[in-house]
Amino acid sequence: MAYENILVETKGAGGGIGIITLDRPEALNALNAALITDLGQALDSYEADENIGCIILTGSNKAFAAGADISEMAPKSFMDAYRENFITDGWERVSQCRKPIIAAVAGFALGGGCEMAMMCDMIIAADNAKFGQPEINLGVIPGAGGTQRLTRFVGKSKAMEMILTGRMMSAEEAERAGLASRVVPVDDLLEEAIGVAEKICKLSQPMTMIAKECVNRAYETTLAEGVRFERRMFHSTFSTEDKAEGMAAFLEKRTAKFKHR
Ligand code: CAA
């Protein structure tokens, strides 16, 4: 399917990696309603496709996304925003994605762009990436989870500094602070992200989905409840064909051939 605001392609052996590229270069990939609709549809179709084991969300070398679209927001009143539950439908689709999703971030990831990257499962940052929550400069505050997710990623002090002053963080600082899983040269960004996605695709798809669900539970509950949830999910993996295959392959000293069952 062709979209107006994003590009989609599949890569990897058997086409197991779905790549979504935000594509509004004239506005540094500012996230408007039309783009969010396209993104939601692309995610729906990758989630429904059993061949897709991992999704990569990326932008251009200049911008992952420079935030929610300011020209779209400027005329909205409180009542407009409240009635349409602005920044909810579609936006939360990324955080609800059940398959692993990697944000490959180069250039600006600001405001809603930073928030969208944080909704993904990991951020691989190009060395030119700049992360920030500059909403305060516009007379508003982050509205797509920035005050909550950034704080969980980098801790209160750094999150406060970024959100209260609008200061941007370099890729190196983002990695040091735990926001990015690693930093790579900008020209290698997509290749590196594809390398990670390929590793994920070779594994059992239900296991990667269950593992993701368990890690995400850590953000939602107490340690004791989270560990209990993990334990039950771990037990449930014993009912799968992939568990039988994975353990047999280890004992027989061969590579496992997962059936994603
Ligand atoms: N919305 C709409 N248009 C945007 C945009 C945005 N968030 N960010 C950039 N653009 C547009 C610019 O208006 C400009 O368009 P024109 O060429 O038509 O004038 C084009 O993209 C290129 O931008 P600049 O000329 O400004 O490029 P630059 O390299 O000089 O600066 C920048 C880059 C520092 C990222 C600057 O564009 C900027 O500060 N952008 C806004 C960042 C921001 O405030 N983001 C937060 C938005 S609010 C939000 O996201 C709320 C939320 O929590 C969900």
Side-chain angles (χ1 to χ4, degrees):
M1 177 166 172
Y3 298 97
E4 277 187 21
N5 303 284
I6 59 173
L7 305 169
V8 289
E9 62 179 317
T10 51
K11 278 250 162 78
I17 307 168
I19 304 178
I20 301 175
T21 305
L22 305 176
D23 188 37
R24 290 189 71 212
E26 71 285 358
L28 300 182
N29 294 333
L31 305 163
N32 65 3
L35 184 151
I36 294 294
T37 302
D38 286 355
L39 179 59
Q41 285 174 2
L43 287 172
D44 285 346
S45 85
Y46 283 152
E47 292 251 63
D49 183 345
E50 283 201 8
N51 292 321
I52 297 291
C54 188
I55 299 165
I56 296 174
L57 182 60
T58 194
S60 69
N61 280 356
K62 176 139 198 228
F64 176 75
D69 191 306
I70 299 168
S71 50
E72 204 173 69
M73 281 186 291
K76 282 190 203 296
S77 66
F78 163 75
M79 201 40 73
D80 296 330
Y82 182 73
R83 281 198 180 278
E84 72 184 65
N85 208 5
F86 181 51
I87 309 279
T88 307
D89 286 348
W91 283 79
E92 296 196 343
R93 182 67 189 80
V94 182
S95 59
Q96 287 160 359
C97 185
R98 296 180 70 216
K99 291 184 178 172
I101 176 164
I102 300 169
V105 175
F108 296 111
L110 302 178
C114 185
E115 290 166 308
M116 188 166 280
M118 290 191 290
M119 288 179 202
C120 297
D121 298 322
M122 67 186 91
I123 297 175
I124 300 181
D127 50 12
N128 74 340
K130 284 192 167 63
F131 298 89
Q133 298 290 162
E135 290 89 342
I136 204 93
N137 296 321
L138 300 169
V140 292
I141 65 164
T147 62
Q148 306 304 299
R149 289 198 179 92
L150 189 63
T151 308
R152 282 165 163 83
F153 274 110
V154 306
K156 175 176 165 180
S157 191
K158 209 179 264 291
M160 281 287 191
E161 189 197 336
M162 288 178 69
I163 289 166
L164 297 186
T165 68
R167 178 174 80 80
M168 290 187 217
M169 199 191 264
S170 68
E172 196 188 309
E173 185 180 359
E175 185 189 22
R176 213 167 48 232
L179 179 60
S181 69
R182 59 164 119 158
V183 181
V184 301
V186 63
D187 291 335
D188 301 344
L189 176 65
L190 196 56
E191 199 184 314
E192 291 281 342
I194 288 171
V196 175
E198 261 167 355
K199 283 190 188 147
I200 292 171
C201 286
K202 280 191 187 133
L203 301 169
S204 161
Q205 196 181 112
M207 292 315 128
T208 61
M209 292 172 70
I210 292 169
K212 163 176 173 155
E213 198 176 346
C214 288
V215 174
N216 280 334
R217 191 54 74 102
Y219 287 95
E220 305 290 347
T221 191
T222 62
L223 178 62
E225 277 307 319
V227 170
R228 241 191 304 276
F229 180 75
E230 178 202 84
R231 192 70 33 84
R232 291 292 170 250
M233 295 303 269
F234 173 66
H235 293 160
S236 76
T237 64
F238 281 52
S239 66
T240 64
E241 290 179 36
D242 286 347
K243 176 262 180 187
E245 167 62 10
M247 294 203 179
F250 176 83
L251 295 173
E252 292 160 18
K253 302 191 187 307
R254 61 177 174 80
T255 306
K257 281 196 189 129
F258 293 117
K259 292 189 190 147
H260 311 299
R261 288 282 179 269

